[in-house]
Amino acid sequence: MSSSVSPARHPYEDLIVHLTETSPLGPGEAAKVIADVLSYFSEPVEEYVRRRHAELKTVGHTNDEIFPRIAAELRGRRVAAPELSLRQLRRIVYG
């Protein structure tokens, strides 16, 4: 009797199958997209605030525009961030 070892399944195998069936992505591409999305949403709040502040400053927004915008973005993130005041957001950026 031979025993076979089943290959390790990807933790999101069902999502990979779904993406390959509903899009032109192959299994490897679907796995990469999933990894990218998970990485995006696992970004710590402080890093997200600093990154978004820098991005919005680069395109010419003022802090009076930026901090309310970031606060609204945080409320809409798929992985919920804690509610932060505008002052807390400023402290993350400027210390």
Side-chain angles (χ1 to χ4, degrees), residues 43-52 74 82 84 92-93:
E43 181 178 29
V45 172
E46 291 83 3
E47 288 180 26
Y48 178 83
V49 170
R50 287 185 189 104
R51 178 177 60 78
R52 286 297 290 147
L74 286 173
L84 299 172
I92 289 171
V93 173

Side-chain angles (χ1 to χ4, degrees), residues 7-86:
R9 283 179 41 98
H10 189 280
Y12 298 100
E13 187 68 33
D14 56 333
L15 183 54
I16 291 172
V17 169
H18 173 75
L19 289 173
T20 58
E21 290 176 351
T22 60
S23 75
L25 297 174
E29 295 165 316
K32 172 132 178 44
V33 167
I34 293 165
D36 288 347
V37 169
L38 291 173
S39 175
Y40 175 82
F41 283 116
S42 68
E43 181 178 29
V45 172
E46 291 83 3
E47 288 180 26
Y48 178 83
V49 170
R50 287 185 189 104
R51 178 177 60 78
R52 286 297 290 147
H53 180 267
E55 290 170 354
L56 294 168
K57 272 296 209 189
T58 299
V59 295
H61 292 283
T62 66
N63 281 345
D64 287 341
E65 298 168 326
I66 291 171
F67 291 115
R69 182 172 175 170
I70 292 173
E73 289 176 1
L74 286 173
R75 283 191 295 276
R77 290 199 37 104
R78 184 71 178 128
V79 179
E83 189 75 26
L84 299 172
S85 70
L86 300 182

